[in-house]
Amino acid sequence: MAGVSVVGYIPGTSILHRLDPRTKQFLVMFLGIVCFLANQWYFTIVTICILIFSPKSVWPFRLIGELKFFLLFLCVLFLVRGFGLDAHYIPYTDAERLQQAFLFCWQLLLVVLLGVMLVYTTSTKDIRAGLVWWLKPIPFINEQVLATMIGLLIRLIPLILFQALEISDGMKARNIENRRYPFYRFVRFTIQLFRRAFVTGDDLVDAMQARCYTEKRTMPLLTFAALDVLAALLGIGIALISLVGS
Amino acid sequence: MDESARKLKLMVYSAIMAALMAVGASIALPIGPVPIVLQNLFVLLAGLLLGGRWGFISVCVYLIAGAFGLPVFAGNTGGLAKFFGPTGGYLIGFAAAAFVVGTISELGKQRLVFDLAAMVVGTIIIYACGVTWLKLVLDVSITKALAMGMYPFLLGDCLKIAVAIPIVRMLRSMITLDFRTSNAIG
């Protein structure tokens, strides 16, 4: 529990901050999918772009701290894909196998970094407005409701994590770790976490009703400027050149 | 409670369940040799507490948020491409599991034996989707895929199902769920 951290919006004036949320969402989805089709040159260019355009304050300690479990997962994946077992269960590998494993892990890391950069540089209301725009053409989905739910999800995660830490600390203070059965700790923790989360939800419903919440809400004004055109063309160009090259 | 208030409550509760799933992916309780991650327990609880339809919607909200790049999946990760990665099958399995768990529980009128059966079926669905996809993506044998993606977690899953029963019994009495029959969305 002590290592729990939240990836959240960091106010700033970097190029990524100035981009329209729709551009950033497009680039995250498009470049992320192309990661699975392209080669190492594409990975290199996208990595360099992320290093240049991302907020400098997150490198490297904050980012490593927030992705430490994922980085551990990547290490396990590298071992699984990079090494095989022969008939006597003795590990073996070769240069090509290690290279393939490395590229696979790099690919996954890039996909994750793209998403993390979106959250670091985009406020919740802008993410929500972008989602409404993207979801609007999809039939049978109320884009306003869905975007509001995703907006609530983004805002609730830090709150629930904080509540989880409080519950955990409170339980430790009451010597929960000395209980004979670990199930008891598990059950008490989960019940308290849900109870507090749903009490927060009830308060939220009251607050939203008091403010006459409706699905038809005023959206922030989104502007697709020259910088967005440039960023989108750059993203598409990098992807096309890499795909043609591979 | 009027229709708009009920709809609002449904929306907020589903968003809370989705947020709890994201939080569950970040929390590991150190019980036994493999730490227990709460994410799939929360998926099963979404079905049991909100019913099949709304449990499914809350998981879909969680998955769509992740697909748009928000770091809500395990290890603070996200992105549409995660669905094509090694753990993509589990993510799809979550949505199916929440729907099936909620539906079985509703059909069984929330009786203990039906809740238990629902969670067992839900867990099987998650592993069926997850291990199959893991095998395809990593290009390993089914034995290796099971050894990597299922066996180490089975004990933890049995524990989760065992503890989910008292949790659900307690939470159902705390949470007002008079909206279960509502059809208000979209």
Side-chain angles (χ1 to χ4, degrees), chain A residues 161-191:
Chain A
L161 268 174
F162 181 69
Q163 289 176 344
L165 285 170
E166 275 190 341
I167 293 165
S168 181
D169 288 345
M171 288 169 73
K172 277 182 195 161
R174 289 165 181 78
N175 268 340
I176 192 83
E177 283 165 338
N178 292 338
R179 297 290 298 208
R180 192 170 173 182
Y181 300 107
F183 301 115
Y184 182 81
R185 187 190 340 171
F186 194 4
V187 172
R188 296 308 306 173
F189 175 81
T190 311
I191 289 173

Side-chain angles (χ1 to χ4, degrees), chain A residues 29 131-144 146, chain B residues 64 68 186:
Chain A
M29 288 189 285
L131 283 172
V132 169
W133 190 85
W134 283 107
L135 295 170
K136 204 168 188 171
I138 302 173
F140 312 116
I141 285 184
N142 186 330
E143 72 279 358
Q144 292 281 352
L146 189 53
Chain B
I64 291 169
F68 271 91

Side-chain angles (χ1 to χ4, degrees), chain A residues 1 4-7 25 28-29 32-33 35-36 65-70 73 76-77 80-81 83-85 97 104 108 111-112 114-116 118-119 127 130-131 134-135 140-142 144-146 148-150 152-154 156-158 160-161 164 182-183 185-195 197-198 200-202 204-206 208-209 213 215, chain B residues 2 4-20 22-23 26-31 36 38 41-42 45-46 49-50 54 57-58 60-62 64-72 74-82 84-87 134 137-140 144 148 156 159-160 162-164 166-167 170-171 174-176 185-186:
Chain A
M1 287 291 299
V4 169
S5 56
V6 188
V7 177
Q25 286 164 341
V28 167
M29 288 189 285
I33 290 170
C35 269
F36 285 84
E66 288 175 344
L67 294 180
K68 59 179 179 286
F69 292 115
F70 178 68
F73 172 68
V76 174
L77 269 185
V80 168
R81 286 184 71 103
F83 294 85
L85 295 174
R97 203 180 168 106
F104 184 72
L108 290 180
V111 169
V112 168
L114 288 168
V116 169
L118 168 74
V119 177
I127 288 177
L131 283 172
W134 283 107
L135 295 170
F140 312 116
I141 285 184
N142 186 330
Q144 292 281 352
V145 172
L146 189 53
T148 301
M149 287 168 85
I150 292 174
L152 286 174
L153 159 75
I154 299 167
L156 285 168
I157 288 172
I160 293 174
L161 268 174
F183 301 115
R185 187 190 340 171
F186 194 4
V187 172
R188 296 308 306 173
F189 175 81
T190 311
I191 289 173
Q192 284 304 318
L193 185 68
F194 272 68
R195 192 190 65 80
F198 280 99
T200 306
D202 285 338
L204 193 60
V205 170
D206 291 341
M208 288 167 86
Q209 279 185 305
Y213 170 82
E215 286 170 19
Chain B
D2 66 39
S4 66
R6 209 163 56 187
K7 186 175 177 181
L8 183 59
K9 195 166 187 175
L10 272 165
M11 194 179 80
V12 171
Y13 276 16
S14 294
I16 284 175
M17 279 309 307
L20 280 164
V23 170
S26 319
I27 297 176
L29 293 181
I31 297 172
I36 293 181
L38 301 178
L41 170 68
F42 289 0
L45 287 176
L49 291 172
L50 300 180
W54 284 96
I57 289 170
S58 68
C60 286
V61 167
Y62 170 70
I64 291 169
F68 271 91
L70 303 175
V72 293
N76 280 339
T77 60
L80 189 58
K82 275 288 276 186
F84 302 105
T87 54
L134 189 70
V137 172
L138 294 183
D139 193 22
V140 292
K144 201 170 178 183
M148 281 175 60
L159 280 176
K160 284 175 200 171
V163 300
I167 292 170
M170 185 76 84
L171 288 172
M174 287 178 185
I175 301 165
T176 315
I185 192 170

